Amino acid sequence: MRFSTLQRHVREGSRNIWRNGWMTVASVGAVTTTLVLVGAFLALMLNLSNIATNLEKDVQIKALIDLTADQAEIDAVGDAIQRIPEVASVTFSSKDEELSSLIDSLGEEGKVWEMYEQDNPLNDVYIVKTTDPLDTISVAKKIASITNVEEITYGQEVVQNLFKFNQYARNIGLVLIVGLIFTAIFLISNTIKITIIARRREIGIMKLVGATDSFIRWPFFIEGLLLGVLGSIVPILIITTGYYYLSHSGNALTQFSFVELLPFSPFAIQLSLVILAIGAGIGVWGSVMSIRKFLKV
Amino acid sequence: MIAMENVYKTYPNGVTAINGIDVTIDQGEFVYIVGPSGAGKSTFIKLMFREEVPTKGNIVINNRNLAKMKWKEVPLLRRDIGVVYQDFKLLPKLTVYENVAFALEVIEETPRNIRRRVMQVLDQVGLKNKARFIPDELSGGEQQRVAIARAIVNHPKLLIADEPTGNLDPETSWEIMRILEEINASGTTIIMATHSKEIVNTIKKRVIAIEGGLIVRDEHRGEYGYEI
Ligand SMILES: Nc1ncnc2c1ncn2[C@@H]1O[C@H](COP(=O)(O)OP(=O)(O)O)[C@@H](O)[C@H]1O
Ligand SMILES: [Mg+2]
């Protein structure tokens, strides 16, 4: 296609947007509503998943070693853990180290424990991290069966609930987003369909003059694209402004150390691009769907 | 250059509008198609640029066989044929200039050539000063001249007109005929269905009379041959 022909299609497509008046307003409104919701969901989901990943990274297994084990047996446990394929790192922490970190973590109350420094009741431990946090549970089970491992702890409930929640959030979010997008595509395709029905006679004339289907299709395609892009302007403004305030104000959320929002830049910019792309996609798909049937004139 | 061979056309509703037609028309001829209402004149014309597909028979135009033509080739055929209708069929929202330019945009002419050629044909049909008007702002005769300009803008070898003067007063009709004769004089074949006895009997050309979907008369420098 010649560049001048493309220019012609763009000119015609933009003109249609202008000519269709309220129809344009309606379909841009539909895209705007959809994208505001989709954008908010995306921001929420990506942050949830970021928080979850951060928490997952902190998940570790503690293998408490039998108090009766001698040094050779302790080393044997370490080697056995090392041999589990899903294990990423194994760190030894003696009972004295465990006690001092416990005392540190408790602050003032920790003083009570200082009296145990002479007769430490704690176990030596191996701190184990898995390559994929999702393997935590199965690895923990394997470690538990090693001789001289007295007990394992990995915050069982937290880990399991976290994984479940994360999966639910993702699935529900995806279903909602896909549903919203299809609604918007349907609305756009309907708008364009109505304008095409109104212009059926014109399309017939164009074909009599020798226009190919694709020549007739292009301006509608551009029209859909523009509707989608126009519809993504307001959502981008709303989402970026909203996100800016959320991530820059010391609000209730950020008081929890593990709740760390993704940084405004580049996250908000990437999100804007995604919203723009979804908007353009909705518009193009909507227009393509609506013109398919209408060219047999 | 135009050859029809044993052509039949039956519409989906069962009406047979063309009932076995054989005819050849040479390059550069001017042919009137006459006959009573419902005789099949419009159908005969529509078959030539494939607005309708023959039920049976062969139609060859500019070495293209319309019976064997694929959907994709139809636009190419139509670009080589100019068509003028009784109801003009202009694009209502486009200006005179844009209506004519459309036929060139479709074949992806350069903007420069489009400008030059459109102004040239608008001059030829005497509408250079109305280039920026939209169809509704023009008289019937002017609209028909725009349609003729659009039909000839890419130098077709064949111009087909279905009652081009049917909606026009006699004076305007003569004006249109003068333009068509000029186009014919430059070598373009013209096929024109008409109900105008005055035109056919005054500007003498080949006359093909159709009745009941059959050619009943074919004479050079013929007469209209019907009352009314
Ligand atoms: N699209 C159509 N569908 C069904 N019948 C048609 C159609 N077009 C024309 N006809 C019928 O075919 C016959 C010839 O019509 P037409 O070619 O328009 O004749 P004319 O132009 O000579 O008046 C008429 O009986 C008419 O009713
Ligand atoms: Mg007719």
Side-chain angles (χ1 to χ4, degrees):
Chain A
M1 183 165 52
R2 261 179 202 284
F3 181 67
S4 62
T5 306
L6 184 63
Q7 277 180 317
R8 181 235 168 235
H9 293 320
V10 172
R11 196 177 64 229
E12 281 301 304
S14 331
R15 263 188 175 186
N16 281 351
I17 294 234
W18 192 241
R19 277 187 197 135
N20 292 339
W22 286 108
M23 297 281 280
T24 296
V25 173
S27 45
V28 168
V31 180
T32 300
T33 318
T34 307
L35 289 181
V36 167
L37 291 172
V38 167
F41 268 124
L42 273 180
L44 183 68
M45 263 172 53
L46 292 171
N47 272 293
L48 274 181
S49 132
N50 179 51
I51 290 166
T53 315
N54 285 344
L55 287 175
E56 280 170 3
K57 266 190 229 139
D58 291 342
V59 171
Q60 54 185 26
I61 305 167
K62 274 192 178 184
L64 279 62
I65 302 162
D66 250 344
L67 289 170
T68 58
D70 59 25
Q71 189 56 47
E73 287 168 328
I74 293 174
D75 291 344
V77 171
D79 290 342
I81 296 174
Q82 201 88 66
R83 276 197 296 275
I84 299 172
E86 296 90 347
V87 167
S89 70
V90 186
T91 324
F92 181 75
S93 169
S94 71
K95 55 182 158 192
D96 296 336
E97 287 164 338
E98 285 293 286
L99 185 61
S100 55
S101 75
L102 179 66
I103 293 169
D104 285 349
S105 70
L106 292 177
E108 277 302 302
E109 292 165 55
K111 295 254 164 38
V112 192
W113 287 85
E114 279 171 11
M115 66 192 216
Y116 285 109
E117 269 169 9
Q118 296 318 306
D119 187 16
N120 188 343
L122 297 181
N123 301 57
D124 290 327
V125 302
Y126 279 109
I127 297 166
V128 182
K129 288 206 168 197
T130 54
T131 319
D132 180 352
L134 287 171
D135 290 331
T136 306
I137 298 166
S138 67
V139 169
K141 281 189 182 135
K142 284 183 196 163
I143 294 173
S145 64
I146 296 171
T147 33
N148 288 319
V149 172
E150 189 187 285
E151 207 191 328
I152 45 158
T153 62
Y154 59 91
Q156 284 88 332
E157 301 229 314
V158 177
V159 171
Q160 252 159 351
N161 289 341
L162 179 67
F163 290 157
K164 263 195 206 141
F165 175 74
N166 219 356
Q167 220 125 45
Y168 280 135
R170 251 171 234 172
N171 293 343
I172 293 174
L174 276 181
V175 168
L176 281 173
I177 287 178
V178 170
L180 283 169
I181 287 178
F182 271 102
T183 314
I185 289 177
F186 174 75
L187 289 172
I188 284 217
S189 85
N190 249 20
T191 308
I192 294 184
K193 213 178 274 177
I194 291 170
T195 72
I196 289 179
I197 291 172
R199 300 184 58 196
R200 246 185 155 156
R201 203 182 107 86
E202 287 178 48
I203 292 176
I205 295 173
M206 292 176 186
K207 297 195 83 165
L208 290 177
V209 181
T212 56
D213 287 356
S214 85
F215 190 90
I216 295 171
R217 209 178 276 138
W218 263 94
F220 290 107
F221 179 79
I222 302 273
E223 183 181 342
L225 183 71
L226 288 176
L227 286 176
V229 169
L230 284 177
S232 62
I233 294 173
V234 172
I236 287 176
L237 290 180
I238 290 180
I239 301 275
T240 48
T241 316
Y243 200 77
Y244 183 83
Y245 281 110
L246 261 185
S247 60
H248 281 72
S249 62
N251 58 65
L253 272 179
T254 46
Q255 281 170 14
F256 301 100
S257 61
F258 67 91
V259 180
E260 217 176 290
L261 289 183
L262 291 157
F264 181 79
S265 167
F267 177 68
I269 290 129
Q270 290 165 343
L271 189 60
S272 301
L273 289 177
V274 170
I275 292 175
L276 186 68
I278 296 179
I282 290 175
V284 167
W285 196 353
S287 68
V288 168
M289 273 182 30
S290 58
I291 32 189
R292 244 186 353 204
K293 297 178 218 137
F294 283 89
L295 285 173
K296 297 270 167 274
V297 186
Chain B
M1 66 154 316
I2 298 172
M4 290 202 181
E5 231 176 67
N6 200 26
V7 172
Y8 289 80
K9 172 66 191 179
T10 303
Y11 282 108
N13 65 358
V15 175
T16 299
I18 297 293
N19 214 344
I21 278 187
D22 289 276
V23 71
T24 53
I25 296 168
D26 290 328
Q27 181 61 45
E29 279 196 79
F30 194 129
V31 183
Y32 293 120
I33 310 293
V34 301
S37 241
K41 303 184 294 295
S42 293
T43 305
F44 177 80
I45 274 180
K46 284 174 182 171
L47 287 170
M48 282 192 277
F49 59 98
R50 216 167 187 272
E51 191 173 345
E52 295 294 348
V53 186
T55 315
K56 201 181 134 195
N58 277 323
I59 304 175
V60 179
I61 291 177
N62 297 337
N63 298 323
R64 283 198 175 92
N65 190 336
L66 273 58
K68 290 185 186 144
M69 183 168 275
K70 297 193 194 81
W71 258 104
K72 287 221 157 179
E73 298 170 56
V74 174
L76 302 177
L77 167 79
R78 291 181 182 167
R79 292 168 190 183
D80 287 348
I81 301 175
V83 186
V84 176
Y85 300 86
Q86 183 171 1
D87 61 353
F88 323 132
K89 291 204 196 298
L90 298 175
L91 295 165
K93 288 172 194 149
L94 301 188
T95 64
V96 165
Y97 178 92
E98 289 166 334
N99 261 287
V100 178
F102 187 82
L104 292 176
E105 287 170 355
V106 158
I107 57 171
E108 301 209 32
E109 249 319 335
T110 62
R112 236 185 109 162
N113 286 347
I114 293 178
R115 257 193 310 276
R116 212 192 42 211
R117 178 65 186 145
V118 172
M119 289 323 282
Q120 197 182 333
V121 282
L122 284 182
D123 193 27
Q124 191 178 341
V125 299
L127 283 176
K128 212 173 174 179
N129 57 341
K130 303 222 160 149
R132 287 163 165 277
F133 286 45
I134 59 164
D136 273 350
E137 296 167 342
L138 302 179
S139 72
E142 285 169 332
Q143 290 188 48
Q144 194 57 298
R145 283 189 273 158
V146 177
I148 292 172
R150 179 181 65 186
I152 60 170
V153 73
N154 45 9
H155 303 286
K157 285 202 193 113
L158 171 60
L159 180 71
I160 304 175
D162 193 357
E163 303 196 27
T165 61
N167 281 342
L168 307 177
D169 58 58
E171 207 168 316
T172 319
S173 299
W174 291 117
E175 180 66 15
I176 296 296
M177 286 313 295
R178 189 188 57 74
I179 294 170
L180 290 181
E181 277 200 274
E182 249 175 53
I183 294 167
N184 178 240
S186 72
T188 304
T189 311
I190 295 193
I191 299 174
M192 168 178 161
T194 184
H195 270 127
S196 169
K197 184 179 176 183
E198 293 72 30
I199 289 174
V200 176
N201 290 346
T202 309
I203 306 172
K204 293 262 176 149
K205 303 287 181 190
R206 179 175 172 187
V207 175
I208 295 178
I210 295 182
E211 278 177 48
L214 284 167
I215 294 182
V216 294
R217 175 162 58 97
D218 184 350
E219 337 169 285
H220 286 270
R221 298 186 59 76
E223 292 274 330
Y224 184 70
Y226 297 93
E227 290 315 310
I228 311 163

